[in-house]
Amino acid sequence: MNPIKVGLLGIGTVGSGTFNVLKRNQEEIRRRAGRGIEIAVVADLNTERARELTGGTVDVVSDAHDVVTRPDIDIVVELIGGYGIARELVLKAIEHGKHVVTANKALLAVHGNEIFEAARKKGVIVAFEAAVAGGIPIIKALREGLTANRIQWIAGIINGTTNFILSEMRDKGLDFDTVLKEAQQLGYAEADPTFDIEGIDAAHKVTLMSAIAFGMPVQFDRAHVEGITRLAAIDIKYAEELGYRIKLLGITRRREDGVELRVHPTLVPASRLIANVEGAMNAVLVQGDAVGATLYYGKGAGAEPTASAVIADLVDVTRLHTADPNHRVPHLAFQPDELSSVPVLPIDEVTSSYYLRMRVADQTGVLAEITRILAEAGISIDAMLQKESREGEPQTDIIILTHLTREKHVNAAIRSIEGLQTVLSPVTRLRMEELN
Ligand code: NDP
Ligand code: HSE
């Protein structure tokens, strides 16, 4: 059988990884797919670099529109990134009857509903394994491997850049900017690293996982997003003293009244496997009602780990190319007419445990007043740490860990605590998850 023909859009970090792995493992991949997978054309703005990378073996063009309309191309691989030209090209490729493979989580988290609907109408596949957790086959696991389960929650370290930053800052005492630059040089960071450090990239990914896990449309605009830029080194230190690590987690949880969808720095017990995931590694913990907890771990970013997922999709699409579209796995795991309208809950309604740190006057009765406010709000205390005040400084830090409560209750209590004359700083509030 003739090889299936691929048009590659963008030969940067992931594009070049994909080109190289496909070339290196060509024969093995052909035996798995049942036919060869051949990159026939590459589009990149920098055609000179693209020619160098491909060694003159394929057509190179500067205008990606020429690729998505070329009649000999069966699959378009979009590795440009962003919501602009990428959206236009993906929709045009679908319109021209091409299957699409993409690593672009930003595009799918924001425009996924439109793109999946266009693909469904045209009977083509949009595959996106590389869009979540790089080389970890988490989309496959959620859509197929765990299909028997009613998934209860997912919690993941799904941004390599921020995990790398947190690990390097903690282990080597390096400063934020130095580590971010290193992550950029290693090819982990997004074109705009704000997406990484402000939690947006992780929110794109957890949004996609949430849609697949709970069978609902993609709703990035409803996700609560906090990054690591406002995280203070002192909280990383106090968390350690209390037996916790701080990780940027993407969390989605099914509740009776809706779905939680959130990204924020989170205290996790240091004894949990996920708390020990370091560097650019990713890990996703999925709780299903039948299987219990399953954990997926691996490289979440970088050229070849991500290429591994892109090529897995290429093989899948090649195998399914001639199959009846109705017999394919639906894009969001559930049949398109079976998606549910379950609401994404506002952050105020989220249930979590909390870490509260405050600077107080070191005098009699302060603690009693704070605990009275928490008790009146129905918030139960799990643990507490009071630092000794420094000589000549009648102030100290108090850290309180709470049991589970609604976010709106803890916010109300914080407002009252901050109104006390003896509380000298705003209260730092971080969420904690036991993940058990
Ligand atoms: P890069 O910036 O390294 O590569 C993008 C490539 O696309 C560059 O070569 C760029 O050329 C080219 N390009 C930009 N605009 C156009 C255009 N209009 N037409 C043709 N080519 C164009 O990005 P990555 O490889 O890192 O990321 C690609 C995608 O993969 C993104 O969606 C990203 O989020 C996703 N991803 C990335 C991972 C990673 O580890 N890097 C992991 C998982 C997903 P030029 O450089 O000249 O602008
Ligand atoms: N910027 C992303 C990260 C790339 O750091 O995880 C992988 O999606």
Side-chain angles (χ1 to χ4, degrees), residues 180-342:
L180 173 59
K181 275 202 194 92
E182 206 183 326
Q184 286 175 294
Q185 278 156 10
L186 289 165
Y188 303 150
E190 294 304 301
D192 177 358
T194 317
F195 274 42
D196 297 295
I197 59 181
E198 293 299 353
I200 301 162
D201 176 71
H204 289 148
K205 294 167 179 166
V206 74
T207 296
L208 290 171
M209 290 198 288
S210 182
I212 292 171
F214 305 129
M216 58 190 211
V218 176
Q219 297 175 68
F220 171 69
D221 54 340
R222 306 297 311 275
H224 176 82
V225 191
E226 284 173 38
I228 61 167
T229 48
R230 275 171 294 156
L231 191 59
I234 190 77
D235 293 313
I236 299 177
K237 186 171 158 285
Y238 285 158
E240 294 262 353
E241 285 181 33
L242 288 155
Y244 290 82
R245 294 261 167 90
I246 300 185
K247 295 288 180 187
L248 185 73
L249 289 190
I251 298 172
T252 186
R253 177 179 282 126
R254 185 204 293 267
R255 295 213 326 232
E256 273 188 11
D257 49 348
V259 163
E260 294 183 3
L261 180 58
R262 49 193 169 105
V263 171
H264 47 71
T266 314
L267 276 80
V268 181
S271 57
R272 298 271 179 272
L273 282 174
I274 201 166
N276 294 283
V277 171
E278 302 293 4
M281 300 307 276
N282 279 196
V284 183
L285 192 51
V286 183
Q287 177 77 26
D289 68 337
V291 71
T294 51
L295 178 66
Y296 307 83
Y297 170 82
K299 287 189 179 156
E304 293 209 356
T306 313
S308 165
V310 171
I311 296 169
D313 276 347
L314 278 172
V315 171
D316 252 4
V317 174
T318 303
R319 287 173 178 151
L320 294 168
H321 179 52
T322 51
D324 176 349
N326 292 321
H327 296 156
R328 294 179 186 144
V329 181
H331 291 113
L332 294 178
F334 291 70
Q335 298 301 333
D337 55 355
E338 295 286 346
L339 293 187
S340 113
S341 56
V342 57

